[in-house]
Amino acid sequence: MRHFPEPFRIKTVEPIKVTTREYREAAIREAGYNTFLLKSEDVFIDLLTDSGTSAMSDAQWAALQLGDEAYAGSRNFYDLEKAIQDIFGYRYVVPTHQGRAAEHIMSKLLIKAGDWVPGNMYFTTTRLHQELAGGNFVDVIIDEAHDPTNAHPFKGNVDLAKLQKLVDRVGPDKIPYISYETCVNMAGGQPISMANLRELREFCDHHGIKIMLDNTRTVENAYFIQKREQGYADKSIKEIVREICAYTDGCTCSAKKDGLVNMGGFLAMNDEDFFVEAKAQVVIYEGLHTYGGMSGRDMAALAQGIREAVATDDYIKYRVEQTNYLGELLTAGEVPHVIPHGGHAIFLDARRFLRHIEQEQFPAQSLAAAIFVETGVRAMERGNVSAGRDPKTGENRRPALELVRLTIPRRVYTQSHMDYTAEGIINLYQKREQLRGLRFVFEPKQLRFFQARFEPIAGD
Ligand SMILES: *Cc1c(COP(=O)(O)O)cnc(C)c1O
């Protein structure tokens, strides 16, 4: 079997547009060589993100019809709360319209100006909210995570020696929590191991530091633990997810990923005081604490999505193995990319793909634009542009990883879409010398990758 087949059949289809190279050249020029600024209808296969792009099941569509749109006390909230309590095991739930809203509230409540917030690498919105709350982010992920050629099976792990160093330097009182992400997005969708989390729990108990989980991709992470970690082969995905959460004090979650919905998120915790404060904040920024920016039907679809993702192990096996299938094709075509293959995406290594373009000329941005022109596939830059500038020096951050992310929406594309994508990228790799770097023509101050515009630097 080349690839674990889709454990579903297709009931509704959405046509996508086939375009010419000339058409796509004009479209990317108009978009300032930023794939975020392309129109969706000009894209053939959209691998920009797996965020909010999932296909919902028939049961989720049915759930939409059962939305209770009461301002207060919607029955869908109570059902969502129950789904989150059952599956993730946290006591208290605060709904938000998406993940960053949960990050905003958590950062505001837990971080004081001058605090330090360690994390296993950063996520764009997560770190920004930590900084806006006056915190300083410190990366404590293992060194292997910064090396795209290192095949370590759990590149999301925290390096406890790095964490110890931080504790020694600033003291545990200045560290409100560690921000612990499952299937670390910016490292290439790389999982954490249960052994690492268990050790971290011990460390944090000893120093009185909380562990706040970024729960966005815990189901995907559970699959890697089942597949790779000793002692977990016979545990269900549901059991593994529950165990991960049990080692943490609370979480933020973008439900637009593992939650299998187009919009939604939540904050969950075990501490009652934190819950009471978070409920007070959600009313200010999101909406009443029984909807938090979601409509009743959104909460209904999310409750169903959370349950579906772990109902059997087949869905997540298909999902992660489909990503792996694309990675295997690129490996066969000798296209440089991050290994091991992540859960939600394959990350091309733009440094090695475009050795002739230096990092200040944004090779990953240039590669994402070229993939679109070559194939109609939309990818995303995750490198120098995404990393932004250091707030103190104003210099580009120049991250070690200069990547282009091919992100697979859940239950949306088939194996032949993966075949087409891989073939196009392999073709482009063969003529990579023709690609040129880019320079900014417009650079936003924050989260610049979303709206920045570029122009090509002329060749010789
Ligand atoms: C998407 C994502 C977020 C932010 O969530 P939004 O729903 O996009 O606001 C936070 N953390 C991780 C790991 C994510 O992938």
Side-chain angles (χ1 to χ4, degrees):
M1 191 177 5
R2 290 181 72 195
H3 157 54
F4 184 66
E6 290 81 359
F8 52 81
R9 54 187 174 186
I10 295 166
K11 177 142 61 179
T12 304
V13 297
E14 179 185 3
I16 47 180
K17 189 157 85 183
V18 181
T19 53
T20 63
R21 169 179 279 272
E22 290 66 38
Y23 186 94
R24 297 191 294 267
E25 278 170 351
I28 197 74
R29 206 179 311 122
E30 191 144 316
Y33 297 86
N34 184 348
T35 53
F36 276 103
L37 300 179
L38 286 167
K39 294 195 178 101
S40 156
E41 58 179 15
D42 291 339
V43 173
F44 181 47
I45 298 174
D46 202 347
L47 307 186
L48 182 76
T49 174
D50 65 332
S51 180
T53 53
S54 299
M56 293 206 294
S57 66
D58 51 0
Q60 285 179 290
W61 282 104
L64 290 182
Q65 292 292 334
L66 302 176
D68 169 0
E69 306 303 343
Y71 187 90
S74 163
R75 85 172 154 256
N76 308 118
F77 167 72
Y78 296 107
D79 188 46
L80 173 62
E81 182 184 47
K82 185 163 186 327
I84 293 169
Q85 288 166 340
D86 286 350
I87 287 159
F88 302 114
Y90 298 112
R91 216 165 292 150
Y92 304 111
V93 177
V94 179
T96 59
H97 80 280
Q98 63 185 90
R100 70 196 69 183
E103 291 169 349
H104 173 208
I105 291 170
M106 185 174 81
S107 302
K108 237 172 112 71
L109 290 176
L110 298 186
I111 300 171
K112 291 190 296 296
D115 277 352
W116 299 81
V117 187
N120 51 345
M121 210 171 257
Y122 75 100
F123 185 73
T124 52
T125 57
T126 318
R127 183 177 64 192
L128 181 59
H129 280 300
Q130 291 164 0
E131 289 172 350
L132 289 173
N136 302 285
F137 166 81
V138 185
D139 187 4
V140 294
I141 204 166
I142 56 172
D143 285 339
E144 286 88 339
H146 293 281
D147 175 2
T149 63
N150 191 301
H152 191 293
F154 293 105
K155 282 164 96 173
N157 282 351
V158 162
D159 183 338
L160 287 171
K162 288 185 188 174
L163 192 55
Q164 180 70 58
K165 235 186 191 164
L166 179 70
V167 171
D168 293 344
R169 186 158 64 86
V170 305
D173 297 346
K174 287 273 177 204
I175 306 175
Y177 63 92
I178 174 164
S179 180
Y180 195 72
E181 183 183 336
T182 36
C183 266
V184 181
N185 196 347
M186 301 300 279
Q190 303 294 333
I192 56 96
S193 70
M194 202 72 87
N196 184 249
L197 180 51
R198 223 177 278 129
E199 272 185 68
L200 180 69
R201 181 73 267 175
E202 245 174 68
F203 180 97
C204 288
D205 281 345
H206 180 72
H207 291 286
I209 298 170
K210 289 192 178 72
I211 304 176
M212 302 309 290
L213 181 69
D214 185 331
N215 192 11
T216 301
R217 291 191 175 78
T218 302
V219 181
E220 288 169 4
N221 201 120
Y223 178 71
F224 285 114
I225 289 176
Q226 189 186 58
K227 198 172 165 180
R228 296 180 185 164
E229 192 163 354
Q230 213 192 342
Y232 286 91
D234 296 328
K235 291 228 157 84
S236 69
I237 293 296
K238 202 171 180 173
E239 289 171 310
I240 299 171
V241 165
R242 187 70 189 242
E243 186 178 341
I244 292 173
C245 295
Y247 291 122
T248 70
D249 298 286
C251 76
T252 55
C253 185
S254 169
K256 301 168 68 174
K257 284 63 170 238
D258 277 353
L260 294 168
V261 290
N262 305 120
M263 190 53 74
F266 60 87
L267 182 63
M269 67 287 279
N270 294 326
D271 182 274
E272 191 179 354
D273 293 340
F274 178 27
F275 172 55
V276 170
E277 287 180 55
K279 268 201 296 188
Q281 292 292 316
V282 86
V283 190
I284 304 171
Y285 294 106
E286 293 287 289
L288 196 71
H289 59 278
T290 57
Y291 72 86
M294 284 185 280
S295 50
R297 57 182 173 271
D298 290 340
M299 293 190 285
L302 175 55
Q304 173 64 22
I306 286 172
R307 291 182 176 121
E308 254 170 45
V310 299
T312 71
D313 295 358
D314 295 337
Y315 152 71
I316 197 63
K317 177 175 180 186
Y318 137 79
R319 193 278 184 286
V320 176
E321 294 300 338
Q322 183 181 43
T323 306
N324 186 50
Y325 175 73
L326 175 62
E328 294 296 333
L329 294 175
L330 293 170
T331 302
E334 293 175 17
V335 176
H337 61 277
V338 176
I339 54 160
H341 301 141
H344 68 299
I346 295 299
F347 291 71
L348 302 178
D349 184 354
R351 276 179 190 273
R352 282 183 293 149
F353 198 116
L354 298 175
R355 288 182 192 281
H356 60 289
I357 300 180
E358 56 160 305
Q359 198 173 16
E360 287 293 300
Q361 298 184 357
F362 311 117
Q365 188 77 29
S366 168
L367 179 55
I371 290 171
F372 174 72
V373 171
E374 179 76 17
T375 63
V377 172
R378 169 155 72 169
M380 178 200 294
E381 191 261 11
R382 286 276 105 143
N384 204 352
V385 180
S386 293
R389 291 180 187 274
D390 186 296
K392 294 204 179 84
T393 66
E395 294 293 316
N396 282 318
R397 278 191 164 111
R398 288 180 159 271
L401 297 178
E402 185 69 28
L403 307 176
V404 170
R405 190 177 82 185
L406 301 160
T407 339
I408 320 295
R410 295 166 180 79
R411 307 191 293 205
V412 172
Y413 294 113
T414 63
Q415 185 161 325
S416 64
H417 289 116
M418 299 300 112
D419 290 338
Y420 170 88
T421 300
E423 274 166 35
I425 292 171
I426 292 165
N427 278 340
L428 184 65
Y429 185 58
Q430 265 131 37
K431 46 186 177 182
R432 58 193 178 275
E433 261 81 39
Q434 296 169 14
L435 271 63
R436 292 282 165 264
L438 298 169
R439 71 167 76 90
F440 276 114
V441 293
F442 169 63
E443 182 183 352
K445 282 205 175 59
Q446 281 166 347
L447 301 180
R448 63 183 183 177
F449 57 95
F450 282 129
Q451 289 155 351
R453 300 184 70 85
F454 301 84
E455 64 185 9
I457 297 170
D460 359 274

